[in-house]
Amino acid sequence: MNRGVSDKNVSRLNYFIPLCVAVATLTTSTGTLARDVTLGGGIGVGYEFSDRQYDEDASSEQEQLDGTQPITDNTDERYNRVRFSPLVTLTSTAARDEIVLRYSPSFRYDLENSDNNVDHDFLATYNRFITESWQVKLSEKYLLTDYVYSRQTDETEDTAAVPADLVTETELSDADNRRKYWVNDVSLRSDYVYWADSLFAVGYSNRILENIDNGSNSNYEDYVRHEVFSEVIHRFSSIWQGSVSGSYIRGLFDEEAVEQNAANPELTDFEKDLNEYRAAMAIRANLIDRQSQMLLYSFYGDDYDAKQRNNSTIHDMTLGWQWDISKESMFSLGAGPSYAKIEGSEGEWGYNGYMAGWLAFERGIINLSANRGYERRNFTGTNDNGLREFWETRLTINYQLLQYLSAGLYSSYRDEDEEVTLVVTPVAPDSEITAAADFDTETETFNRKRFSTGASLGYTFWQWYTATISYDFIHQDSEKIDDSFDEHRIFVTLSYETDFFSW
């Protein structure tokens, strides 16, 4: 039985969408509700090119020792597509609430193999102020596509000035070629402002990921992710502020992916269902004008259902400083000790750190950030979930060349060492494996380096039209077999979006 993804989970999307439509219909059909309603939409046409070439020389040099090194079935990929994307939007606002519905199907045709398909992108949000101090936010996003939106290409959220420990990472991986998948995200959050700069928040989020038409040797996996979280931010005085946050995450993975390796039983892919625990405590102070200081402690822990998998914990202590130099510039810096431990092995002491800064000038802005630390990412959509020691840096530049012509440039680099489990065997090989059994685990650490860079141009004309062209380049160098590649991406789009009716 597949507890992770089922037809019931697929139909769950149908509960919220009709609800949003019904609420929007009721609130827009009654004039006495004093609502402002806007119906809009548009259309987009585009061309996209993607070419990924794996490094065969690197793969041939990486010998498999006793057949235990994890491998995938990666092959070169090339996409050459045209895309047609209509858009429909509906916004309904009142004094205390707002409803937003946005839907864009995308019809694409591949010029390489004459294949065609349809992607779907749906977003529904409902925000309501129950009182002036109490706000509730409900949202759902559904996406069906074969393209992974990563930190290199999606700039919807700015986390440059946030320590890595405070960023909940659920980014999907595209390391093992493209695959068609759908992902459904639902979140409910309640914020209550009870004092100046003081907040109590509680919420729940759920993500369902299901991959479609995966190959037999695919590294991708399906899951359902539940999270309950809470946060308290309290302003003690004009100088001191504190915060406490915590979350509990339950991950249920597709049991069909748990298969016995007949040739090497010790390599069995054991069940991956788990519990995650996250917590953070911080004290912030403004002891100097236009400067703030922070002392942060954060904790991460995971607990796998399968006793054959090793649990892990990560402790971070970070001392941070931020200087608001002016309205046009900011700089922040932080560092501290880290302690990471995997069950069955000795703990490892290290350090964490972050740096961020931005500078705004007459026609643009420059952002620079760097992070260093330990992490374990269980929800990337692959089974690469070992403890990682990493550091990464990113530079972005946005510049307004002319009144309607803008340009963007980014470059990022990430270096990580990931510990991968190779062999799991019971201490007494002839004994029956039980929940109380002891296991010996053989692990190996792989290094992966990833460099990404890209540029884009955007031109707005005739008020509602936008033309964009972008280029991205990714170079990945990995010690794992079939994990080193170069990829080129080109996107050209012409879009039109406007409001049709308002009442």
Side-chain angles (χ1 to χ4, degrees), residues 48 81-84 106-110 115-119 145-146 180:
E48 57 190 57
R81 296 171 172 173
V82 292
R83 189 180 292 271
F84 173 76
S106 184
F107 305 90
R108 52 182 169 86
Y109 179 79
D110 198 316
D115 185 27
N116 62 86
N117 219 316
V118 180
D119 294 346
T145 184
D146 69 346
K180 190 173 183 179

Side-chain angles (χ1 to χ4, degrees), residues 33-235:
L33 296 180
R35 305 189 67 87
D36 295 325
V37 183
T38 301
L39 177 65
I43 193 169
V45 293
Y47 167 78
E48 57 190 57
F49 170 84
S50 176
D51 183 41
R52 176 180 288 196
Q53 302 290 327
Y54 283 88
D55 189 346
E56 296 181 359
D57 294 336
S59 297
S60 62
E61 294 173 359
Q62 297 163 354
E63 298 292 338
Q64 297 185 56
L65 302 177
D66 299 328
T68 60
Q69 182 171 336
I71 62 174
T72 56
D73 190 21
N74 290 334
T75 57
D76 296 344
E77 280 190 328
R78 183 184 180 96
Y79 292 91
N80 192 13
R81 296 171 172 173
V82 292
R83 189 180 292 271
F84 173 76
S85 305
L87 170 68
V88 178
T89 64
L90 177 65
T91 303
S92 177
T93 60
R96 286 193 172 184
D97 62 53
E98 179 184 51
I99 300 171
V100 177
L101 302 177
R102 186 179 180 91
Y103 174 60
S104 178
S106 184
F107 305 90
R108 52 182 169 86
Y109 179 79
D110 198 316
L111 302 174
E112 292 284 331
N113 53 26
S114 299
D115 185 27
N116 62 86
N117 219 316
V118 180
D119 294 346
H120 297 276
D121 189 349
F122 175 83
L123 174 66
T125 64
Y126 177 66
N127 298 330
R128 179 172 178 82
F129 280 94
I130 299 177
T131 67
E132 292 184 358
S133 303
W134 184 14
Q135 183 181 15
V136 175
K137 304 175 183 179
L138 175 65
S139 69
E140 174 161 21
K141 181 175 179 62
Y142 175 82
L143 181 67
L144 173 65
T145 184
D146 69 346
Y147 181 73
V148 173
Y149 296 86
S150 66
R151 284 176 294 185
Q152 285 71 35
T153 57
D154 186 5
E155 294 298 319
T156 58
E157 183 176 0
D158 181 14
T159 58
V162 181
D165 308 284
L166 295 183
V167 179
T168 301
E169 184 63 77
T170 57
E171 175 191 325
L172 298 181
S173 171
D174 66 346
D176 294 340
N177 285 324
R178 286 197 187 187
R179 83 288 194 190
K180 190 173 183 179
Y181 68 94
W182 65 263
V183 61
N184 186 200
D185 290 305
V186 174
S187 66
L188 174 62
R189 180 185 175 100
S190 173
D191 292 341
Y192 179 69
V193 179
Y194 63 89
W195 195 265
D197 295 331
S198 299
L199 170 76
F200 172 71
V202 63
Y204 166 79
S205 67
N206 173 260
R207 161 171 284 195
I208 300 176
L209 170 69
E210 181 172 322
N211 299 283
I212 302 173
D213 299 330
N214 273 349
S216 58
N217 294 327
S218 172
N219 194 29
Y220 292 118
E221 58 189 7
D222 307 335
Y223 64 76
V224 177
R225 181 184 187 273
H226 303 271
E227 179 178 10
V228 179
F229 60 88
S230 181
E231 180 181 22
V232 178
I233 302 175
H234 184 74
R235 169 67 67 179

Side-chain angles (χ1 to χ4, degrees), residues 370-383:
N371 286 283
R372 202 274 185 198
Y374 296 84
E375 66 178 7
R376 193 161 188 174
R377 297 162 59 189
N378 289 296
F379 299 97
T380 62
T382 72
N383 58 24

